[in-house]
Every structure is written in C-alpha cells, then in structure tokens.
Amino acid sequence: MEQIRKFTLEFFRSLKADVKEDGDVLVVSNVPKSFEDLFGKISPYQLCFSGGVKDCEFVGKGSAVLAAMTKYLEGSGKATLLKIDFDTHSGHKNLSGGIDPEVEIFKRLDLKNCEIANLVKKNRNNFFSRFTFMTTFRYLNESEQIVNEVYVHDGKVVNGSLDGYFVTEGSGVGCRVSELNTKKDYEIAREKVKELLKGRTAELGEMLSRKVDVEIARIKEHYGNQMRELGGDLGGTLEKVKEVELKLRTAEDSEKEGLRARLERLRNSLVKIGDDDSHARVLKEQEFTIKDVIHKYSLNVDNKLVNTTVIYYPVYSFRLCLKESGVRCSVAGNRRFLEMSYDPLTRSLGKIFCESCKKAISRLNLCSAGHISCDECLDHCSECGKVFCANCLKRSCSVCAKVLCKNCTTMCLGCGKYVCRNHMRKDCVTGDERCVNCLRVCLRCHGMAQERYFGEARDGSKVCSKCLGKENLSQRLKFSRD
Ligand SMILES: [Zn+2]
Ligand SMILES: [Zn+2]
Ligand SMILES: [Zn+2]
Ligand SMILES: [Zn+2]
Ligand SMILES: [Zn+2]
Ligand SMILES: [Zn+2]
C-alpha cells in the first residue's frame, strides 16, 4: 500500500499536477488533459489507498486509477479518440440540437431584401489532434520533468482547451486513431514543443556552462602546473630547487618533510626535462579530464510522446434557399441556393462574397436575377425599378444613357446598340423596330423611318416613302381625272 501511494504521488508530481496530502487522502488537481481523457474523469481527484473511504477513488490493485496510470506511463494509452458533442452542452441537454443555424447566420449576416425560405443542416466530421509530451531534463544529479500539450488544427498550432466542451469517448466515427494521418500534425507539434522548451533549455545550458567553465579553468591550472614542473623551463626549475634548498636549511622540523618531498619532485623533473613523452602524456590526461567534466555537466533532454488524441467534432453545412422578401413561397420569385459551412469550434461561419466586387459581405442583398450583392454593387434599373447587382446592370440606353437591366433593353438591329423601350420605335415604312438614332422623322406624317426610305417630295421636302407613295398616288389620280 505504501508503495502504491508513493508511486501515485510521484506520478502526479511528474505530471506537474497539484498534489495535496489530506490525512490519508491524496487530493490531485490540475491534471493534464491527456490523463483526464485517458482516465475518463476530470480532476480534481480524491484518492485513497484503502477501500471504503467516502467520496474517494480507491487506488490499489485492479483499480481504474492504477490501470490508467500504468497505461499512461507505458504509452499504451498513446492514441485516444474523442468526440466533441456540440449538441449536448455539459450538463443540460439541448433538445433543439445545440446549434441553431438561423441564430448563427443572423449573428453574422444581415439579410437586407430577402429571407430564408428553407434551411437544411448537414454535418461532416472535422479533426484536430492533441499531442502530450513529457520532457525530462537530466543534468548532474538532478532530473526535472515538464508536460506540454500541443493542439494542432488544420496544419497549425492552436490554443486548444477542451474546457467547457462535452467530450465523449469516440466511437462510430468509422476509423481508429491509427488510421488517421497524424504524422504531419505530430511534426508540427514537435517543433512547437522544441520552441516551448527553448527557455528552460537555455537557462539550464547557461548554468551548466558557467559551472563547466570554472571546472575547465581549474583543470587547466592544475595541468599547467604539472607542465611547468615537467620542464621546458629549466632555469625556472633550477631557481625553484635553490629556493627550496634554502628554505630547508631554515625550516622547522615539521615542515622539513614536505619540503624534502617537493625538492625530490623538482629534482626528478629536472631529469625529465626534454622528455617529450611525459609532455604528451600530461596533455592527453588534461584532454581526458576536460572531456569527462564536459560530459558530467552536460544537459540531457529526453522528449517522450505520451499521448496522441484525435478529437473530432461536427462541422455543419447550412444549405439555405433565399427568396425575395414578402413573396409567398408558392409564387415563383427569384430564389437563390446558398451553402455555408459553420465550424462550432472556431465559431466561424463560411464567408459570403459579393458576386460583383468579390468582397466579403455582412449584409446580403439578393439581386432580382438571384445574384448575391453587397450594398455598393446594388442599384435599380431605371426602367422597371427592380434592384439588380452591378453585373446585371452593365447595359445602358445609347440614346438617353439610362442604366438598364437585361429585360429592359433591346438591341437595335440597325446599329447594334442597346436602347431603352422608350427609344425604340417602329419604322413606319417597313414596320421594323429601330432605335431613334437609326430613324428620321418624316415631317409630313410625323412617323419615323430609316434614312434610306426617304425621298424628295414635289415641293422639295424630304418625306418618307409612305408619304411619297401617297403623293404619287394622288398625283396619278389627279392626272387621270384631268
Ligand atoms: Zn459588391
Ligand atoms: Zn429593368
Ligand atoms: Zn444580378
Ligand atoms: Zn433611352
Ligand atoms: Zn439603331
Ligand atoms: Zn411620312
């Protein structure tokens, strides 16, 4: 029992959870999500080590907590599949289905001259991953552990937290974690962890390198002395021999032994002078000692992936049919089908763009031809008065320059230009429709006809061939009467 208690204590401490000992009970809070999800319960936990304590989770052979801890450490709980249920909010069930498409749409979009005739909510699954890394820094006799949880969504690290979401054990999604491709997300998460560890790594690195510098300086001094004693410096050594001999003469008895030993060493080193071998040996020894010290003061960083959790949640697709405001459904007005995606996690609704200027809009106008338009791109047809988008109002009358919709323009077959209804007339000679620019007024009948149907009347005025024909006819009749 004591062993299990110790193990539990160490386990939660290494997870950087808050552990409090309250008599026989261990109160653990602030536990990493990856453990909570694996265990299936949200912290704080009240743990006890002998059965039958009220409101406590028993930890012992065969208990769920112990199993979860072992599983976590082994990494066999490495892959978890979780589902976020937006339709069920933690605690209270929302029968209407959690997310109301109309509410979400109207929060972001103002329907100006149209309304929703019909709306269907569909959903598909979207995924994101959470990686839990346990990093152990080892240096000198210390070891320090840090747990990091990184969320990756759509190829990017996100500030994730499942707090406040209703999470259920994933099932029915039709695939296992191993089948989902988390490799790319993992690479991204690993880079993020490196970044997160940078600060602590640098701190420890600096502390160790300061220590190692001191050690190396000490080693160099030590071997430097040896080298000096070894020689190269014959004069210096002789000097020292003389110095020690002098001291020995006047020294107290107690010092004599030390001085004699020193003298011995100096004399020996005199013999060794010029001995390259011993030189090289000292250098080599110094090199080894330095290497040893560097190794001893090195920082060992061990990153272990403890858990991968794939979290899936529904992304909605709202399929809606817009219709002109005030028009009854049975009446065939202009309609428009629209599909918007809604991500309940990021609470973002797919953007709607003006089909004329392509800008994203928050106020939607429906053009009479069913196009989506922003306020700026919407205008009236000067003829019929209906609202149209800029794309539908590209034509204008070549005579009066009025802006017109497609329905209100006619192309003149004489000049090929568009004109309004008012400036399109009937040729009084042929009955063809022509624009007023292609016609000329006959001063006799006040009708209009194309230039080529004009001729000179008897009084010299230009008249249409109809009037000309009448004149000729009456002339002939007059002749025949005469
Ligand atoms: Zn526009
Ligand atoms: Zn019109
Ligand atoms: Zn339009
Ligand atoms: Zn006109
Ligand atoms: Zn014309
Ligand atoms: Zn005429």
Side-chain angles (χ1 to χ4, degrees):
M1 189 179 110
E2 202 40 52
Q3 237 177 346
I4 291 177
R5 188 191 170 93
K6 209 174 147 220
F7 168 74
T8 311
L9 207 69
E10 273 168 16
F11 175 82
F12 286 109
R13 278 190 182 143
S14 79
L15 292 185
K16 288 278 176 289
D18 297 330
V19 185
K20 252 189 256 156
E21 288 179 84
D22 183 7
D24 285 341
V25 178
L26 213 62
V27 183
V28 185
S29 54
N30 222 345
V31 177
K33 296 276 179 292
S34 49
F35 181 79
E36 292 185 340
D37 293 338
L38 177 73
F39 180 41
K41 271 181 197 160
I42 289 169
S43 60
Y45 306 134
Q46 309 232 35
L47 307 174
C48 65
F49 301 88
S50 52
V53 182
K54 203 175 165 253
D55 296 328
C56 275
E57 196 83 44
F58 170 66
V59 191
K61 278 217 169 76
S63 69
V65 192
L66 195 62
M69 285 192 286
T70 333
K71 209 169 161 192
Y72 193 84
L73 283 179
E74 280 169 357
S76 62
K78 225 168 205 154
T80 320
L81 192 61
L82 290 179
K83 184 190 172 204
I84 302 182
D85 206 341
F86 289 100
D87 285 347
T88 328
H89 285 296
S90 6
H92 63 96
K93 264 212 157 165
N94 191 335
L95 290 172
S96 62
I99 280 155
D100 182 340
E102 291 204 17
V103 169
E104 298 305 329
I105 291 171
F106 289 130
K107 254 191 240 166
R108 296 160 182 86
L109 201 62
D110 184 8
L111 298 183
K112 248 191 107 189
N113 62 348
C114 50
E115 56 195 48
I116 295 172
N118 179 20
L119 200 152
V120 182
K121 182 171 111 179
K122 300 221 162 187
N123 67 311
R124 63 183 168 80
N125 284 319
N126 207 356
F127 297 87
F128 66 96
S129 342
R130 177 187 62 202
F131 299 91
T132 311
F133 292 89
M134 198 193 286
T135 307
T136 313
F137 291 104
R138 279 193 199 89
Y139 54 96
L140 300 171
N141 288 322
E142 308 273 334
S143 109
E144 188 179 312
Q145 275 172 326
I146 298 180
V147 174
N148 275 305
E149 292 189 329
V150 181
Y151 290 79
V152 181
H153 178 238
D154 216 5
K156 267 179 262 160
V157 173
V158 289
N159 286 325
S161 162
L162 295 179
D163 288 344
Y165 290 118
F166 188 82
V167 178
T168 53
E169 192 90 14
S171 66
V173 71
C175 53
R176 283 191 303 269
V177 177
S178 54
E179 289 162 5
L180 296 164
N181 196 3
T182 53
K183 211 177 157 197
K184 234 182 175 169
D185 284 359
Y186 169 70
E187 302 286 327
I188 293 162
R190 209 181 48 181
E191 284 309 304
K192 179 67 184 177
V193 166
K194 274 189 202 157
E195 200 185 304
L196 291 172
L197 296 174
K198 239 179 213 166
R200 190 62 188 141
T201 312
E203 245 172 61
L204 290 173
E206 260 164 49
M207 181 269 287
L208 290 168
S209 92
R210 267 197 308 275
K211 284 196 172 171
V212 97
D213 282 349
V214 172
E215 281 297 296
I216 288 175
R218 210 178 49 79
I219 291 162
K220 282 198 169 150
E221 197 190 303
H222 172 78
Y223 286 97
N225 282 340
Q226 275 201 16
M227 289 287 276
R228 266 190 295 286
E229 285 185 5
L230 261 185
D233 185 16
L234 182 64
T237 313
L238 283 171
E239 199 86 7
K240 271 186 200 154
V241 170
K242 263 186 211 155
E243 204 179 289
V244 177
E245 279 172 343
L246 217 72
K247 265 189 192 163
L248 196 60
R249 249 175 255 161
T250 56
E252 303 281 330
D253 279 352
S254 61
E255 294 173 335
K256 275 185 177 157
E257 192 152 341
L259 285 168
R260 276 200 198 98
R262 181 136 187 247
L263 197 61
E264 177 79 15
R265 269 209 307 280
L266 285 168
R267 281 189 180 133
N268 281 343
S269 73
L270 270 177
V271 180
K272 279 189 213 151
I273 285 176
D275 181 351
D276 285 341
D277 271 2
S278 10
H279 232 253
R281 190 176 45 75
V282 172
L283 276 179
K284 202 151 215 167
E285 210 177 296
Q286 172 177 307
E287 196 185 311
F288 275 134
T289 318
I290 288 178
K291 260 192 195 158
D292 203 47
V293 155
I294 289 177
H295 180 76
K296 196 174 135 204
Y297 285 83
S298 67
L299 175 65
N300 198 318
V301 185
D302 174 42
N303 260 324
K304 192 180 164 206
L305 176 68
V306 246
N307 180 276
T308 302
T309 303
V310 173
I311 299 145
Y312 71 95
Y313 63 98
V315 176
Y316 299 103
S317 158
F318 301 155
R319 291 176 196 177
L320 51 147
C321 174
L322 296 175
K323 69 174 177 74
E324 221 175 298
S325 305
V327 176
R328 263 182 301 120
C329 266
S330 53
V331 179
N334 52 319
R335 302 214 163 188
R336 175 59 191 257
F337 282 95
L338 205 63
E339 194 164 339
M340 292 171 164
S341 62
Y342 177 73
D343 187 329
L345 192 72
T346 54
R347 295 203 178 92
S348 59
L349 187 72
K351 286 208 162 73
I352 303 289
F353 298 93
C354 166
E355 286 172 315
S356 297
C357 66
K358 316 290 180 212
K359 278 183 199 150
I361 52 177
S362 57
R363 277 155 74 89
L364 188 149
N365 295 282
L366 203 57
C367 133
S368 298
H371 303 127
I372 288 160
S373 174
C374 70
D375 287 346
E376 278 77 46
C377 294
L378 200 77
D379 212 340
H380 291 84
C381 164
S382 321
E383 200 69 42
C384 63
K386 287 183 184 165
V387 285
F388 282 99
C389 71
N391 277 340
C392 288
L393 288 176
K394 280 193 169 147
R395 293 174 183 177
S396 60
C397 172
S398 66
V399 180
C400 65
K402 267 185 188 169
V403 177
L404 302 168
C405 76
K406 227 170 166 178
N407 292 330
C408 296
T409 49
T410 328
M411 193 175 80
C412 164
L413 292 173
C415 60
K417 287 173 183 162
Y418 289 104
V419 279
C420 69
R421 228 165 258 147
N422 195 37
H423 290 114
M424 197 71 168
R425 300 287 165 79
K426 205 167 228 159
D427 183 313
C428 64
V429 178
T430 61
D432 293 341
E433 292 270 346
R434 288 291 184 272
C435 78
V436 293
N437 281 343
C438 290
L439 299 172
R440 178 183 171 159
V441 183
C442 166
L443 292 174
R444 188 155 299 169
C445 68
H446 299 292
M448 292 184 99
Q450 291 162 82
E451 180 72 44
R452 67 179 121 124
Y453 300 119
F454 274 79
E456 203 166 306
R458 278 159 48 90
D459 59 0
S461 62
K462 286 240 172 187
V463 295
C464 73
S465 25
K466 231 166 114 189
C467 293
L468 214 58
K470 267 188 206 156
E471 189 182 81
N472 287 342
L473 186 69
S474 58
Q475 202 61 37
R476 269 205 301 281
L477 285 170
K478 201 172 149 198
F479 276 131
S480 63
R481 263 206 308 271
D482 282 348

